[in-house]
Amino acid sequence: MGKINRIGVLTSGGDAPGMNAAIRAVVRASAYYGITCLGIHRGYNGLINGDIVTMDARSVNGVIARGGTMLYTARCPEFMTEEGIKKAVGTCKYLGIDGIIAIGGDGTFRGARDLANHGISTIGIPATIDNDIASTQYSIGFDTACNTAQDAIDKLRDTMQSHERCSVVEVMGRNAGHLALHVGIACGATAILVPEKELDVEKDIIEKIRQGRINKRSHFIIIVAEGVGSGVEVAEKIKAETGIDARVTTLGHIQRGGSPSATDRVWATRMGEFAVSGLLAGKSNRVVCVVNNELIDVDINEALQMNKDIQGELYQTSKMMAV
Ligand code: ADP
């Protein structure tokens, strides 16, 4: 692959707070290194239909503090066809785009791999509140989502405590329990249901609530990860077996919004700069990853083969705290 003079940046898949900070970092690093940066709208759709704008250092003023993504995000089924990818590659050739930085999750990285296979250099940046990307310990948006859910559950706790109720809270995470586990620990949950671990409802929830009442606990919080299913069944069981009033709250999309935390802004900035430097160093088909607090890059095909589990010792600690 030749010299990099012009790059494009896009956000794709589910949005996450901090995506704007990553876009800003890509744009500002490009300005620093003296290359042109183009903003591609609506994920891979923008590459197919040419919905692309030139970005300079000033076009990202103020976005570091804003949630969502200024480039919009969308799913693009057409890109997954041979015809779609040919159109996207055609746009890159026409506009002289030598490299693409794709911000998103595993689906987004599959798209980046396909572009790399067609001769366009690509680097992926992990951004998802689910933190379910196996190759990296951290994804942009996770910290903010934890804080948002924590704030909402703290508010629920006030009212649950006053009425001596049980709150069953559904949190996002797709098929992963990272968000649920972190939020559950941060909010002092009685039990945390995650898809990665089998939980004995009788022993781990009902018995804990009974014991809690004996220990003069006035209220209870049960966290249910999206990947486990609905909290309604859990609430019904708690009501039926303990007599406690259990209320279900689904936090929903508020978890995906809001001004990014300092942690997300700093990682997003570092990752954006790292991705631009990587392209300039001739790298392609790589994903930026955090391993032991350091940034590295991993081959996309290898990254997509990896599996991720929740942190076992964190899960054990969460159980110990629920007395
Ligand atoms: P995420 O990036 O958050 O995992 P998706 O799985 O929805 O989100 O993927 C986002 C977009 O990436 C898709 O709409 C599509 O354009 C592209 N994409 C996903 N999977 C593939 C694939 N197997 N091959 C090529 N492109 C893909």
Side-chain angles (χ1 to χ4, degrees), residues 12-14 44 75-76 79-80 104-108 110-111 114 174:
S12 152
Y44 293 111
R75 307 231 141 76
C76 178
F79 186 74
M80 291 155 83
D106 282 339
T108 302
R110 287 193 179 91
D114 291 354
R174 270 211 276 196

Side-chain angles (χ1 to χ4, degrees), residues 61-319:
N61 281 354
V63 302
I64 196 165
R66 291 203 343 245
T69 161
M70 66 182 291
L71 294 175
Y72 308 104
T73 183
R75 307 231 141 76
C76 178
E78 191 186 351
F79 186 74
M80 291 155 83
T81 65
E82 198 47 41
E83 205 178 310
I85 186 109
K86 276 195 181 133
K87 280 192 202 166
V89 172
T91 305
C92 290
K93 297 258 153 78
Y94 179 73
L95 293 175
I97 299 174
D98 318 300
I100 297 276
I101 292 174
I103 305 167
D106 282 339
T108 302
F109 302 153
R110 287 193 179 91
R113 173 201 57 196
D114 291 354
L115 278 175
N117 287 340
H118 284 78
I120 311 294
S121 297
T122 57
I123 295 198
I125 293 181
T128 161
I129 66 161
D130 307 331
N131 205 19
D132 60 348
I133 299 168
S135 55
T136 182
Q137 289 166 347
Y138 195 77
S139 300
I140 296 169
F142 180 67
D143 185 62
T144 305
C146 283
N147 288 321
T148 302
Q150 171 187 285
D151 183 52
I153 295 167
D154 284 349
K155 286 173 178 151
L156 278 173
R157 178 190 281 281
D158 291 343
T159 166
M160 291 301 132
Q161 190 265 333
S162 307
H163 286 273
E164 298 174 87
R165 283 176 180 149
C166 174
S167 205
V168 178
V169 188
E170 292 177 9
V171 305
M172 280 185 162
R174 270 211 276 196
N175 299 317
H178 310 287
L179 187 59
L181 178 57
H182 278 74
V183 167
I185 289 176
C187 296
T190 307
I192 307 168
L193 283 79
V194 291
E196 294 87 345
K197 300 275 180 200
E198 196 77 49
L199 198 118
D200 182 338
V201 175
E202 190 56 45
K203 179 169 150 278
D204 293 316
I205 300 182
I206 306 298
E207 200 42 53
K208 278 211 161 156
I209 291 177
R210 285 200 190 108
Q211 205 52 50
R213 286 185 114 184
I214 293 166
N215 294 338
K216 305 259 184 291
R217 228 182 203 282
S218 61
H219 63 288
F220 303 89
I221 292 167
I222 313 292
I223 305 288
V224 182
E226 175 183 12
V228 171
S230 156
V232 174
E233 229 172 90
V234 178
E236 293 294 332
K237 199 165 169 66
I238 291 169
K239 262 189 233 173
E241 298 211 15
T242 68
I244 287 186
D245 188 6
R247 302 287 175 107
V248 180
T249 303
T250 305
L251 296 183
H253 280 84
I254 59 162
Q255 293 162 100
R256 295 242 291 253
S259 179
S261 66
T263 297
D264 274 325
R265 294 183 200 190
V266 173
W267 276 122
T269 302
R270 291 182 64 187
M271 286 181 179
E273 190 282 323
F274 192 82
V276 175
S277 309
L279 280 180
L280 289 173
K283 292 184 178 177
S284 179
N285 199 43
R286 313 291 292 180
V287 53
V288 177
C289 300
V290 176
V291 176
N292 298 332
N293 270 335
E294 296 284 341
L295 285 179
I296 59 162
D297 55 88
V298 174
D299 179 85
I300 291 185
N301 297 311
E302 283 173 28
L304 291 171
Q305 300 286 317
M306 295 178 187
N307 293 312
K308 191 175 194 178
D309 200 353
I310 56 164
Q311 289 165 269
E313 88 284 359
L314 211 53
Y315 184 72
Q316 285 313 321
T317 303
S318 78
K319 285 185 144 188

Side-chain angles (χ1 to χ4, degrees), residues 7-19:
I7 66 166
V9 57
L10 60 83
T11 48
S12 152
D15 67 343
M19 278 183 159

